Amino acid sequence: MRGFSVMIALGWRGSRRQIVCWVVGLAAVFAGTVWSLDSLYGTPAELASYREATESGTALFAINGKPYGLENLGGVIAYEFGFLSALAFPLMGIHLVTRMTRREEESGRTELLRAGSIGRVAGVAAGVMSAGGALGAVAVAMMCTLVGIGLEWSAAVVYSASMAVLGWCFAAIAALSAQVVAAARSVTAICLGVLVAAFLARGVGDVRGNGLVWLSPIGWAEQARPFGAARWWPVPSAIAFAVALVGAACWIAARRDLGAGVFGARRGPASASRTLLWPLGFAVRRHRGSVIAWSVIGALVAASFGALADAIRSVMEDNAALRDALGGGSADPDAYLSFVVVLLGLLAAGFAVQGVGRTAEEEPGGRLEPVLSGAVSRPRWLLSEAVAVGGGTAIVLTMSGLALGVSDALAVGDSSAIPRLTLATLTYLPGVLVLLGITLALYGIRPEWLAASWATFVFLAVVATLADTLRLPEWLRQLSPLEWVGRTPLEPINWWSLAVSICLATGSIAVGVRGFTHRDIPMRSDSFSITRPHLPHVFAR
């Protein structure tokens, strides 16, 4: 495998900031969760009360997974961290592998390296190994945290290993997808689709108690049951699955054309539509596929959770702990739906950040300079992109809210749930637009700062899902714009917060436009430069 060590070094040099942010961020969030739960459930009586309340709420297993070993603190930690871990570890593997494989190929840097002494499969292998090492570092930090609070080391090892292997599975899926399709955004779309399918399969399997859970890598990690009757064999089975996919990816990489995929891009029309002559029309065309993909994902997630709403309402009537978890002690039937609406708002926020990232790709790809050299001004181009991404965010929220309303209406036989839940979901649009504005401002001022937008997204996710578990202070919770509107439909809409959110989003976009107008294009990135003095030895070998 010629050039493997060189590609490892270059992968670290180009993605070290992202790797460090993922490792430190996930390790810190897990440590905070463990510390909080250790202080909340430190006695056998508290653990027994938690176990009794949790095991009676089987419908909620669709979100956090099925709990095992709740008679000890480790089982509580695994259950409370279940939702975030089921998404964070796969997303980490997908992001890092896509960045180190298909994105490098799209930028042309892989072709330059291949002209020297770098083998065909070195890039794929190095990307997977780098992502795997980062996931392993998170697992080691988690294991040390669990052992540090007095849990058995064997259970801590099984749990940490199962989380790392979950990320490895999706890193392998990303590596194979990067050989199948020729665009990084297509790789991301495929992996997100697989992630949603895996999450839903695990959720339905846990709620219904059937074999669907075994069709999901998330289910494999859960079924290791580290703090219950621990089972080692799901971990090596998942490793074998990941190794098989990586082997297939390397086999394809050794045989396909550079820059191409197994499935070639379809041919476009012979002549362009008149709408593509305008910056807004071109921006809409560029983001159209992402809007459709995220809308389908949001609708599937909403429909799955909405179908369980009636069952969870019944459980909440007799389960005070579940009422506390979802609605602050309220027995209102909308407490569960308000929690789902927040999750849909987070999903739309993820689309907004990715949409701005897709916009930012035009600059280093060399496609932006020819556009701006003509009659299109900088503010006009960037505002067109902002309108396209903002409109796409509204569509994603609308389709998600509509699917939630339809599924709830079918479950309870009340058609009024459709407009009510659609409106409740759309009330989160101004808060999501604040994140969109912040992301656009970061890109406009300095593209290298764009990675901070994902850190902001992680903060919003932690506040939305773990604020009570981590016992975050109120002032810290209020830093999240998703908290300003109120938990609709459980609580009334705070119209003043919507107005403030719109003003903040507009101001952030204006800051981004001003920064974009006054900086150089393209701005040299520190992530990789072929003029750096330490690279010529690659081509001399």
Side-chain angles (χ1 to χ4, degrees):
M1 195 180 297
R2 293 180 294 113
F4 175 73
S5 60
V6 172
M7 294 302 295
I8 286 283
L10 293 181
W12 165 252
R13 185 67 180 87
S15 302
R16 64 189 185 280
R17 293 185 180 89
Q18 288 76 14
I19 292 174
V20 171
C21 287
W22 274 109
V23 172
V24 174
L26 269 180
V29 171
F30 181 76
T33 304
V34 170
W35 171 82
S36 179
L37 293 174
D38 186 29
S39 60
L40 282 174
Y41 304 102
T43 65
E46 291 170 337
L47 289 172
S49 176
Y50 181 89
R51 179 183 181 184
E52 180 182 357
T54 302
E55 290 183 344
S56 62
T58 55
L60 201 57
F61 295 170
I63 298 175
N64 286 354
K66 191 171 182 179
Y68 295 98
L70 292 182
E71 62 275 0
N72 61 73
L73 181 61
V76 176
I77 293 171
Y79 181 70
E80 289 290 333
F81 202 65
F83 174 76
L84 190 59
S85 63
L87 298 181
F89 285 92
L91 289 176
M92 179 179 176
I94 292 169
H95 173 256
L96 293 180
V97 170
T98 303
R99 177 182 175 85
M100 296 181 193
T101 55
R102 181 52 71 173
R103 286 195 185 279
E104 291 296 301
E105 198 165 330
E106 281 187 325
S107 69
R109 292 188 284 265
T110 300
E111 184 175 9
L112 187 62
L113 293 170
R114 286 270 191 92
S117 58
I118 304 299
R120 285 177 170 266
V121 302
V124 178
V128 173
M129 288 296 295
S130 298
L135 288 161
V138 177
V140 170
M142 294 171 65
M143 181 186 65
C144 294
T145 301
L146 294 173
V147 173
I149 63 170
L151 296 180
E152 293 185 5
W153 70 268
S154 57
V157 168
V158 175
Y159 177 71
S160 303
S162 65
M163 293 296 101
V165 170
L166 172 60
W168 293 348
C169 287
F170 281 90
I173 292 171
L176 181 59
S177 300
Q179 313 309 313
V180 173
V181 294
R185 61 182 181 275
S186 300
V187 174
T188 303
I190 292 173
C191 293
L192 288 178
V194 174
L195 176 57
V196 170
F199 188 86
L200 295 179
R202 193 270 301 155
V204 174
D206 282 338
V207 172
R208 305 299 182 189
N210 56 36
L212 278 178
V213 69
W214 294 106
L215 299 179
S216 166
I218 303 174
W220 303 341
E222 173 192 283
Q223 291 301 315
R225 305 180 184 182
F227 301 103
R231 298 190 290 192
W232 281 92
W233 59 266
V235 174
S237 299
I239 293 176
F241 171 80
V243 169
L245 292 188
V246 172
C250 292
W251 185 85
I252 296 174
R255 289 161 176 79
R256 67 173 175 86
D257 291 334
L258 184 67
V262 174
F263 299 105
R266 65 180 179 86
R267 292 185 177 182
S271 59
S273 169
R274 292 185 61 86
T275 59
L276 297 181
L277 300 178
W278 303 93
L280 180 58
F282 197 77
V284 170
R285 175 63 182 83
R286 180 163 52 246
H287 295 286
R288 182 181 65 185
S290 296
V291 172
I292 294 174
W294 281 84
S295 296
V296 171
I297 291 173
L300 288 174
V301 171
S304 300
F305 286 147
L308 298 172
D310 189 46
I312 291 182
R313 285 190 182 103
S314 301
V315 174
M316 287 179 64
E317 294 177 359
D318 303 318
N319 192 327
L322 188 58
R323 293 197 298 269
D324 290 337
L326 296 179
S330 172
D332 193 301
D334 285 336
Y336 166 71
L337 291 174
S338 67
F339 182 77
V340 176
V341 168
V342 171
L343 297 184
L344 297 180
L346 282 174
L347 188 144
F351 164 79
V353 175
Q354 189 199 46
V356 177
R358 174 72 180 90
T359 297
E361 292 175 2
E362 298 299 294
E363 187 172 342
R367 297 180 291 273
L368 179 57
E369 285 180 284
V371 174
L372 298 181
S373 65
V376 179
S377 65
R378 294 190 184 194
R380 186 184 179 191
W381 180 81
L382 191 59
L383 286 174
S384 298
E385 293 289 330
V387 170
V389 177
T393 303
I395 293 174
V396 171
L397 277 173
T398 301
M399 298 305 297
S400 301
L402 186 62
L404 180 62
V406 170
S407 60
D408 185 60
L410 293 175
V412 301
D414 183 8
S415 61
S416 65
I418 298 176
R420 184 171 63 89
L421 292 178
T422 303
L423 176 62
T425 307
L426 278 173
T427 56
Y428 282 88
L429 178 60
V432 176
L433 292 181
V434 172
L435 179 59
L436 169 62
I438 293 172
T439 306
L440 205 68
L442 293 172
Y443 165 66
I445 297 172
R446 191 171 182 84
E448 288 84 352
W449 295 352
L450 193 59
S453 61
W454 283 111
T456 306
F457 173 78
V458 171
F459 170 74
L460 300 186
V462 170
V463 171
T465 60
L466 291 175
D468 293 331
T469 300
L470 297 176
R471 293 184 294 179
L472 298 180
E474 187 63 26
W475 66 267
L476 188 58
R477 300 186 189 202
Q478 291 304 316
L479 292 179
S480 169
L482 298 184
E483 294 290 314
W484 302 344
V485 66
R487 290 294 177 113
T488 58
L490 178 64
E491 301 173 356
I493 299 173
N494 188 335
W495 295 103
W496 281 108
S497 69
L498 297 185
V500 171
S501 298
I502 292 173
C503 292
L504 286 176
T506 303
S508 300
I509 293 174
V511 170
V513 171
R514 179 174 177 79
F516 183 74
T517 304
H518 289 82
R519 69 171 172 82
D520 291 336
I521 295 177
M523 179 175 284
R524 185 179 66 83
S525 173
D526 291 331
S527 62
F528 189 95
S529 173
I530 61 173
T531 61
R532 288 184 180 272
H534 68 285
L535 289 185
H537 75 279
V538 175
F539 307 99
R541 291 185 177 180

